[in-house]
Amino acid sequence: MDLQAIHDHVIQLARRAGATIMDFYDRPFKEMTKSNAADIVTPADKATETVIVSDLLAHYPDHHVVGEEGGGQGAEVHTAEYFWYVDPIDGTNNFANKIPHFSTSIALADKDLNPLLGVIYDPTRDELFSAIKGDGAWVDGEAMRVSTTTDLSQSIVVSGFPYIKWTSEDNNLAEWSRFVVRVRGARRTGSAALDAAYVACGRFEGYWERHINSWDIAAGALLVQEAGGTVTNYAGETPPQYLDQREILMSNGHIHQDMVKLLTHSSM
Ligand code: IPD
Ligand code: CA
Ligand code: CA
């Protein structure tokens, strides 16, 4: 499999997806709710997913393609060797409120959900992040590395709150409170894919989130790994299929154990 050729193709596809998103940005549209009023989808999400998924199905008919809005398509799960994870707009709430911080995220993984290739495109800044397993990670074609910060007190970290936050106590408030009093800054940007990309290029030192899906994080996880960072669950482990287990911790590596402690020891 020529990952470099697929990478170059997916970059063009992500740029096309970004153009589709921006076509909708200044137009009025009707949003629809999914699991609750905080979890929305717009015509832009659906149109952009169609652009990406139809292209992937045409080019890779023996792969399985998972899109956030449309579910699984293409080759059957039990026969496919390769899987695509597509989030057409990561940060839909930002997009719908005209906050210019959202992205398209596309990842290719093997059948054990080990990412092989990841592309994240921010169409508002025309900034493109990508990685190929074993080959490196780039922002706009330039090699990128995680930050060298070793101290939590000099770190800016980022997280997200799940759509079940209104009804579940597992809503990240406890973890958030523990971090806020230990770090230089804590952020909630609203795009998990860009949160991961920003860890990979050294803008954030760490990112954690629970109730997250593989289409949100598969590309970002590879970006962080290939940029020299660490990706695990909250316990600091990488069990099989951990990218599908709805809990993720990414960091520059240097502050990883401190983050694990804050996530697992509520009294720290
Ligand atoms: C969401 C964003 C957000 C994260 C949520 C995701 P969506 O994706 O990545 O930052 O906190 O967990 O679901 O719904 O905008 O694609
Ligand atoms: Ca998402
Ligand atoms: Ca989305």
Side-chain angles (χ1 to χ4, degrees):
M1 161 171 273
D2 184 349
L3 282 179
Q4 184 67 53
I6 300 176
H7 169 263
D8 297 349
H9 170 73
V10 174
I11 284 179
Q12 298 312 317
L13 181 56
R15 291 191 185 283
R16 265 209 291 139
T20 306
I21 299 171
M22 297 315 284
D23 269 354
F24 282 88
Y25 193 51
D26 289 321
R27 286 200 252 149
F29 55 78
K30 194 170 164 1
E31 64 191 39
M32 288 153 282
T33 54
K34 297 201 282 185
S35 59
N36 64 29
D39 185 9
I40 61 168
V41 61
T42 72
D45 297 78
K46 294 189 173 176
T48 307
E49 186 161 307
T50 300
V51 167
I52 300 168
V53 171
S54 60
D55 182 284
L56 294 176
L57 290 173
H59 281 86
Y60 313 105
D62 53 344
H63 295 186
H64 186 77
V65 182
V66 181
E68 176 177 8
E69 311 304 340
Q73 295 181 59
E76 297 287 332
V77 172
H78 58 277
T79 58
E81 293 283 318
Y82 297 102
F83 290 73
W84 291 91
Y85 293 91
V86 175
D87 193 340
I89 303 182
D90 184 60
T92 297
N93 275 312
N94 285 346
F95 170 82
N97 271 37
K98 314 271 184 241
I99 298 166
H101 191 83
F102 43 83
S103 58
T104 286
S105 178
I106 305 173
L108 171 66
D110 66 17
K111 57 182 179 213
D112 297 319
L113 192 39
N114 298 309
L116 304 171
L117 183 151
V119 172
I120 295 172
Y121 180 54
D122 171 351
T124 71
R125 298 178 181 84
D126 187 21
E127 193 163 48
L128 192 135
F129 304 86
S130 66
I132 301 176
K133 189 176 172 62
D135 255 9
W138 307 273
V139 51
D140 290 334
E142 297 290 323
M144 63 179 174
R145 297 298 291 173
V146 292
S147 84
T148 55
T149 305
T150 55
D151 205 317
L152 268 187
S153 66
Q154 293 166 6
S155 295
I156 299 189
V157 295
V158 65
S159 188
F161 300 90
Y163 291 129
I164 56 163
K165 62 197 171 205
W166 293 331
T167 50
S168 168
E169 282 184 19
D170 186 14
N171 57 11
N172 200 29
L173 283 185
E175 294 89 335
W176 180 259
S177 313
R178 294 203 288 276
F179 272 94
V180 166
V181 294
R182 296 290 303 275
V183 294
R184 179 174 286 174
R187 304 282 183 267
R188 197 291 189 250
T189 75
S191 170
L194 286 180
D195 292 343
Y198 282 21
V199 173
C201 73
R203 293 175 191 161
F204 290 140
E205 272 66 40
Y207 159 65
W208 78 94
E209 187 157 357
R210 194 174 263 166
H211 304 289
I212 197 84
N213 293 293
S214 19
W215 53 74
D216 299 305
I217 51 166
L222 184 65
L223 260 54
V224 171
Q225 287 164 341
E226 288 297 323
T230 305
V231 182
T232 68
N233 61 18
Y234 282 11
E237 299 156 346
T238 56
Q241 311 267 342
Y242 71 104
L243 288 177
D244 211 12
Q245 291 174 10
R246 316 209 73 207
E247 177 185 290
I248 202 72
L249 167 61
M250 307 187 189
S251 81
N252 66 0
H254 308 296
I255 64 162
H256 208 81
Q257 279 315 310
D258 284 340
M259 292 189 76
V260 167
K261 281 187 203 148
L262 281 177
L263 289 168
T264 54
H265 301 296
S266 49
S267 57
M268 197 193 151

